[in-house]
Amino acid sequence: MHKIVLLVSFTLVVFFSCKKEKGTHKENTIPRKQIEEKPIFFKTDSLTEMYSIVSEKGVRVRLWSSEYSTQDTFSLFGDKNHILISKEKKSKNKFTTVKIDTLLSNEYTYVNVYKESFIKKKVNDEEYLLFSLKETFKGRAVTGRDISFFMLHLNSLQFYTLTYSGEPTLRCEGCIDGAFEDNKYLNEKPALKKVLYAYASKSKHIYMPSKEEKAISYYKNYVQKWYKDNKVENTFGAGHADIMHVIYSTYYKEDIFKFTGDYGSNFIENDRFKIVNFFRGSLLGYNKQKKLYFPVLVESCNYDCNKEIGFLEGNSIDIQYEWSNGDSFQINLEDIKFLN
């Protein structure tokens, strides 16, 4: 009998993806065998140095960007963007590149690296670099934003990413409103996860509610409460809110006009009501008899949803969107159901 011996080799291929296919954070968190680090050729002619740091062990780590704004090295705007990291060791008073890796790669996405966010942190006697950046999809169809918080080991170049996904919000100026995404690789490193979450939670670029603001009835949450009560989510790239047969709302003593922003002369009023029409945004009301504010129709979009409003007979308002070709919708303010 002849024996046949089959030699089989396996190659492990790991794919990483990001929601909306906006970007790829290639977290190199899979343990690797220690190998001798030898000098490598790293051509940087088409790259720009974004940040540089030298560790206590004398290792220099640099971040490189593929394309940037002429006004700001920390803003990337190319159709394809890359952020690379390099590790350099010092020998005979000269730094030599021994390792490179890709930190970020995306397409058709603006990238803003927060230059003030870079800090060095020690965890279990190991040095890490922490920093953050925002990704915004080009075009107007996608309204969401991602802010990613990175924790980079200054010797191995292994890094972890914590991403907060959300949208622009009224609840804080210049930040996004959403939630942290789960990261299974970060979950496997509880000590690092604790540090990264603590770092991210202090960022002015994400909304972290105070104890008072966690109550859905708090006036700053009028958008979220209106969506919840009416079981809708009217945030669009392009589009408009459907006018419902029954609208549920809430009275507020706080001035939600002022909280929402400037509206200029874009309002209508009669003896009973003042209705403010925010540009590509919500319709908010004020009951002059009760001296209380309330949302009428809550929505936001990037384009094609601006509207003109006017009073009809009684306390009904007529709404005409810019896309509607003369068609209009009506809301009778007397028919709104108030939940308080």
Side-chain angles (χ1 to χ4, degrees):
M1 180 182 294
H2 298 284
K3 293 183 178 180
I4 300 175
V5 180
L6 298 178
L7 299 178
V8 182
S9 62
F10 295 89
T11 301
L12 176 64
V13 180
V14 182
F15 296 96
F16 297 89
S17 64
C18 180
K19 67 182 259 184
K20 305 187 190 79
E21 298 181 352
K22 285 174 56 179
T24 300
H25 301 165
K26 194 182 75 62
E27 297 177 279
N28 49 9
T29 56
I30 299 174
R32 299 176 179 177
K33 292 182 179 180
Q34 294 296 323
I35 59 174
E36 182 182 357
E37 294 180 319
K38 298 180 180 180
I40 60 175
F41 176 69
F42 180 35
K43 186 176 181 181
T44 60
D45 294 354
S46 61
L47 302 175
T48 299
E49 181 181 313
M50 180 181 292
Y51 188 83
S52 177
I53 186 172
V54 179
S55 72
E56 292 178 358
K57 297 179 181 179
V59 172
R60 182 164 72 178
V61 173
R62 295 202 276 180
L63 274 66
W64 305 84
S65 62
S66 57
E67 188 172 354
Y68 64 94
S69 164
T70 55
Q71 287 78 35
D72 185 1
T73 307
F74 292 87
S75 297
L76 285 66
F77 63 92
D79 289 341
K80 293 184 178 181
N81 296 311
H82 307 284
I83 297 179
L84 306 180
I85 43 178
S86 66
K87 174 183 176 180
E88 302 171 5
K89 285 187 174 181
K90 195 171 186 180
S91 177
K92 298 179 181 180
N93 295 321
K94 181 181 178 181
F95 281 104
T96 303
T97 303
V98 295
K99 188 175 183 180
I100 58 173
D101 211 333
T102 302
L103 182 86
L104 173 71
S105 179
N106 62 32
E107 295 183 350
Y108 307 110
T109 304
Y110 296 110
V111 178
N112 296 101
V113 180
Y114 297 121
K115 56 185 176 182
E116 78 284 355
S117 69
F118 288 90
I119 65 168
K120 187 167 69 171
K121 187 85 173 179
K122 267 193 172 183
V123 183
N124 297 331
D125 228 22
E126 296 289 332
E127 291 180 281
Y128 292 86
L129 179 67
L130 288 87
F131 60 97
S132 59
L133 57 83
K134 179 175 70 173
E135 293 178 84
T136 306
F137 193 80
K138 289 184 177 181
R140 297 179 291 186
V142 178
T143 60
R145 311 282 189 270
D146 288 344
I147 294 182
S148 295
F149 301 89
F150 290 89
M151 191 169 187
L152 170 66
H153 191 275
L154 288 181
N155 186 44
S156 68
L157 295 192
Q158 288 188 346
F159 60 89
Y160 297 86
T161 310
L162 175 62
T163 299
Y164 184 98
S165 294
E167 297 180 351
T169 181
L170 293 172
R171 300 199 284 190
C172 63
E173 186 176 355
C175 78
I176 65 170
D177 191 346
F180 288 113
E181 296 181 355
D182 189 51
N183 184 317
K184 64 179 181 180
Y185 299 106
L186 191 57
N187 292 341
E188 294 170 359
K189 300 288 184 179
L192 302 184
K193 179 179 178 179
K194 181 179 179 181
V195 171
L196 191 50
Y197 263 89
Y199 167 75
S201 298
K202 295 177 182 177
S203 172
K204 67 180 180 180
H205 302 292
I206 65 174
Y207 176 65
M208 298 295 290
S210 64
K211 183 178 180 181
E212 181 182 35
E213 292 172 336
K214 289 181 180 179
I216 191 66
S217 58
Y218 190 57
Y219 79 96
K220 287 187 177 182
N221 300 326
Y222 82 78
V223 170
Q224 289 73 24
K225 187 176 190 305
W226 195 92
Y227 284 161
K228 179 181 178 182
D229 292 340
N230 290 282
K231 298 180 175 59
V232 296
E233 182 68 44
N234 295 335
T235 302
F236 311 103
H240 64 94
D242 292 328
I243 307 300
M244 297 162 293
H245 294 296
V246 179
I247 294 176
Y248 295 94
S249 191
T250 303
Y251 280 125
Y252 298 94
K253 62 181 180 180
E254 294 86 359
D255 188 344
I256 59 174
F257 293 172
K258 184 177 180 181
F259 169 68
T260 304
D262 181 35
Y263 55 89
S265 60
N266 200 3
F267 65 90
I268 58 174
E269 59 184 328
N270 62 13
D271 292 340
R272 289 267 322 266
F273 298 99
K274 177 179 179 178
I275 306 298
V276 170
N277 179 17
F278 285 91
F279 179 68
R280 291 178 179 170
S282 301
L283 296 180
L284 303 183
Y286 178 70
N287 187 314
K288 295 179 179 180
Q289 294 178 346
K290 296 180 181 292
K291 296 183 179 180
L292 294 171
Y293 297 86
F294 61 98
V296 177
L297 178 67
V298 175
E299 69 171 341
S300 65
C301 77
N302 290 335
Y303 68 103
D304 211 25
C305 70
N306 196 33
K307 47 193 173 291
E308 299 291 333
I309 61 172
F311 272 111
L312 299 174
E313 184 179 355
N315 292 306
S316 292
I317 56 175
D318 185 72
I319 303 168
Q320 187 174 104
Y321 284 93
E322 60 183 308
W323 57 266
S324 63
N325 295 322
D327 293 332
S328 62
F329 308 86
Q330 290 75 43
I331 295 177
N332 188 335
L333 301 176
E334 303 285 358
D335 291 339
I336 295 177
K337 306 294 184 183
F338 288 91
L339 299 179
N340 59 343

